Amino acid sequence: MAEAIAISLSVKVAAALSRAAAASLVPIRHGIAAAARDLELLRAFLRFADSRRSTDALASAWVDQVRDVGFELEDVVGEYTFLAGSGGFLRACADVRAWFALSSRLRKARERLRALSAVKEQYGIRPADASGSPDGGTGTSVAICRKLSEAAHFVEEEEIVGFAAHKRLLMKWLTEEAETRQTIITVCGMGGVGKTTLATNVYKRIAKSCHFDCAAWVAVSKNFTTEDLLRRIVKELHRYVQDGAPRDMDEMDYRSLVEALRGHLTQKRYFLLLDDVWDADAWFQLRTALFDSGTGSRIVITTRSQEVAALASSHRTIKLEPLSEQEASSLFCSTIFREDAGPECPYHLQHWASKILDRCCGLPLAIISVGNLLALKEKTEFAWKNVHDNLLWDEGCDHGIGQVSTVLNFSIDDLPYRLKRCFLSCSVYPEDFSIKRKTLIREWIAKGLVEEKGHSTMEEVADGYVTELVQRNLLLVALRNEFGRAKRLHIHDLIREVIAHRSKEDRTFQLSRSTTVDSKQKIRHLTLDNCQIDRQSTPNLASLRSFYVLRSELDASLLSDFRLLTVLNLWFIKTNKLPSAVAYLYNLRYLGIRSTHIEELPKELGKLHNLQTLDAKWSMIKTLPSSITKLKNLRHLILFTRRGTDFMKPAPGTPIALPDGLQNLRCLQTLKYVQANQKLVRSLASLEQMRSLELSGVDQRIIVDLPSALSRMSCLLRLGIISSDANVTLDLESFLPPPVNLKTLTITGKLARGKLPSWFGSLTNLTQLHLRSSELGEDSVAILSSLPRLLYLSLINAYTEGSLTFAAGCFPALRQLSLLGLPNLTSIEFQKESLVDLRLLTLGQCLELAEIPHSIVNLIHLENLELFEMPSNLTEKIPDGEGCGANHRDDERTTTVKNISWYNGRLLEQKVYINLSTFQKSPKTDAVTFRDETGQRSLWSHLYGKGVCLYK
């Protein structure tokens, strides 16, 4: 983490010196730049020493001190920016005492930095000391992970819980005779979820059979060499061969090893298990030796990385998730009471068993580690309560609990610095918090954790970071958008505990649920969750950089104390006004008041010259101060006003009108959801960086000026046009040249002549299209059908004909189709070779549609059919299918059918798995599940909400 501070500081120094040069004193500017260079020179040592902190007390103490100096320099940079942003040259002269104090702090920090640089030589803290550890100081972690992998060979069948279905599937893939090609199978999941246990158990069963001529199990791990990996594979293949492996194998070079392996495997059906593969490069270096002889060989790879898992086809990949509550309880009891005839938890211990299991979060490694510890304790409430209260996922713990932390920390330590600093910053979020991807990206940028790279924007670079963390199973996807891309994320509770523990060790983060804050240390990131806070309970927070407040009673006046603040994010706060002091937080780059009762922003908001994001969605802001047009660094402006005060019911809402002067915000990339007028639309021509634009209240007068503005937006990817009312007709024919780079387009309103404009077929980059209340005919659907990249199409009350035909060859790339609220639709025909890649079909409130078309069998890849509020005479004709517990994944032609309807104010969902070719008229009854009204209402709001589409 100390290395990340050095890198982050260099970025912030560059930004501070470039933006505030005119108001600063030259010696201070030069001193800050020199200190940043000094810290930059220590980066290599910081990376090495940081990795040894858990095993080397001297290195740990040195890193702590360097980190403290880094924090002090960061504060100097922040204070420099604050003073320089407070006014012009005259104000700078008036603050001469503050400038000299800052100069003194800088001088002392540089002296400490130079002293620490000398100390590392004096005490021998050098990279050369790591020579004995090939992994740069993480040898202990590698050894523990390797030991856990090897131990999986000795896990008995009855000790394995929760993998029955996965085991059957893996056995099937390994033993199927029809596939004679070499096949790769991957088992993916976060550390400790049981990948090795599952794969090794299956390996033992298969290796004992006669299904393969030979088999090998090899733990790859993070640090490998190709030659060593080849040697170990050869040795494993000869483990039970009488002659054994070649005697001179240890002297063989790469070429000789490949020849030896290929010679041994010639014309043999082999089974190779590569355990714990961290990098796809391991396979690419091996595949030359593992040639495909057409004998039906199988290769199983276990990995924490979805990128590595992609080596196999999606139909040969198993993704392991944490155990269910019932499975976790079964494993827990069988571990503790393994010597008992019936391993059940006694009644008097069930309360603490449940609380301890909550801490394990369904992770098998954690459950087994705690279970082994409890097996040694007395079976009393006092003993189990004591274990619960002192349960820390710390590498220093005994009885195997420390192994859990080691395995999880290993995934974090493997991250490059650019990802590690971003991921550790996620410790500001409380457990079970759903993180919006775009919010996370904008916060990382505001904190200075992201740098522009080549021609990519910081947003695009940060989006790549999110993707990498998802692929490594560190950020988990809670909700995906229509294309399978992460929309909302969360962190597994155990991983969150680990990164929170590391952040607390660095004395940077604190999550508080009490009325007071421990401010003995200089906290830099503070989250308040469900608590009441005021000035008296928050002393000594002058170094605070990010402040998150959720569901708490907040004394808004204390915000004026946080002069170095860069991120201020408030959720579910009933405060109705931000104090004017917020406008003097000159370092502020992110201001979030989403889902709050705040009605007014300070008139002086324009003083926040560094502000990059203003997120006021679902606040109660009705007007914006005119000074907002002075925010020349603003990149994202998201506005949407809630009408009621109930946080659980945000919809419906209204867009907000902007003051004149929008053309000044030339850095703006996102503008949503604003009330349009002619002056605003004409101003849009100056916003050439715009990527996402949502306009409400559009009429024909505005349409006239819109094309010329859009033609200047060469980066525009997402556009939303919402008419002012149902009587307005939108004539889009004048959009010349059309916005051909668009990927997402939303149009709400009646289209002129009931047709799409003639240029619509030129939107060859369009992937997502939402049309609502458009009154289209079938010829317009034909225009859409040829768009080559269209993946998602939503027609909401947008089609007026009684029949709809999808001809052969239409919509070649479409994966999701939603037909909703089409009042005249009586029949649908899917011709053969139409919609060849469709995976999800949604039919909703098409009240004249009497039956699901028999031609649906022509949708050869359809995986899900969702019916929402469809007439009963249609839903009654759905044939009986398999129940929810069926192993429906084994049938590639099986489709999941969901029938969703309102019942007593709640959404009732019926789900069955059927083969579409069996559609016939027959009554059915199924198990049903009730879903929470508010949670599902958010899911369907983009389909049936009034006013602005809220699907994003």
Side-chain angles (χ1 to χ4, degrees), residues 37-99:
R37 288 193 297 271
D38 292 342
L39 199 57
E40 183 77 12
L41 291 174
L42 289 175
R43 273 180 54 188
F45 293 97
L46 287 169
R47 176 179 296 185
F48 153 70
D50 220 0
S51 69
R52 291 177 54 188
R53 290 183 63 183
S54 60
T55 57
D56 189 327
L58 181 62
S60 178
W62 183 77
V63 169
D64 285 343
Q65 293 186 52
V66 175
R67 181 206 58 230
D68 289 343
V69 176
F71 284 156
E72 177 66 10
L73 288 170
E74 189 179 42
D75 286 348
V76 168
V77 173
E79 189 69 21
Y80 174 95
T81 304
F82 180 85
L83 291 172
S86 61
F89 179 76
L90 293 177
R91 181 62 183 269
C93 293
D95 289 334
V96 66
R97 181 178 297 179
W99 283 111

Side-chain angles (χ1 to χ4, degrees), residues 560-610:
S560 60
D561 296 338
F562 308 148
R563 58 194 290 168
L564 303 184
L565 206 63
T566 58
V567 174
L568 174 61
N569 215 339
L570 311 177
W571 283 287
F572 308 115
I573 302 300
K574 295 181 179 180
T575 301
N576 58 17
K577 185 178 180 181
L578 280 179
S580 59
V582 170
Y584 296 92
L585 302 176
Y586 300 120
N587 288 280
L588 200 63
R589 292 178 174 82
Y590 186 102
L591 176 58
I593 55 173
R594 181 179 285 241
S595 295
T596 66
H597 288 177
I598 292 174
E599 301 175 355
E600 187 178 350
L601 292 171
K603 294 179 180 179
E604 303 88 352
L605 193 71
K607 294 181 179 294
L608 298 176
H609 298 299
N610 291 311

Side-chain angles (χ1 to χ4, degrees), residues 540-575:
N540 193 29
L541 294 180
S543 296
L544 203 63
R545 293 313 178 103
S546 61
F547 188 37
Y548 296 75
V549 186
L550 296 85
R551 303 176 289 262
S552 300
E553 294 294 328
L554 174 69
D555 178 4
S557 65
L558 66 84
L559 297 176
S560 60
D561 296 338
F562 308 148
R563 58 194 290 168
L564 303 184
L565 206 63
T566 58
V567 174
L568 174 61
N569 215 339
L570 311 177
W571 283 287
F572 308 115
I573 302 300
K574 295 181 179 180
T575 301

Side-chain angles (χ1 to χ4, degrees), residues 359 391 393 492-502:
R359 296 288 306 279
L391 187 57
W393 304 112
H492 188 276
D493 284 352
L494 275 189
I495 292 282
R496 205 206 72 82
E497 279 197 41
V498 169
I499 63 174
H501 177 72
R502 291 174 68 144

Side-chain angles (χ1 to χ4, degrees), residues 198-271:
L198 166 65
T200 304
N201 180 261
V202 172
Y203 171 84
K204 286 165 57 182
R205 293 182 61 182
I206 294 290
K208 290 178 182 178
S209 70
C210 299
H211 201 80
F212 292 92
D213 299 320
C214 56
W217 181 102
V218 178
V220 179
S221 196
K222 176 184 172 184
N223 303 97
F224 72 93
T225 63
T226 307
E227 290 80 2
D228 177 61
L229 200 51
L230 289 169
R231 286 189 187 96
R232 288 195 283 129
I233 292 173
V234 173
K235 287 180 180 179
E236 275 289 310
L237 290 169
H238 288 82
R239 178 182 285 269
Y240 302 109
V241 177
Q242 187 173 3
D243 296 337
R247 295 181 180 179
D248 60 343
M249 187 167 45
D250 291 338
E251 285 74 43
M252 286 184 179
D253 57 15
Y254 170 77
R255 179 179 174 182
S256 300
L257 288 166
V258 171
E259 289 174 347
L261 187 54
R262 288 174 67 97
H264 182 77
L265 297 178
T266 299
Q267 297 305 315
K268 288 182 180 177
R269 179 182 172 94
Y270 59 87
F271 172 26

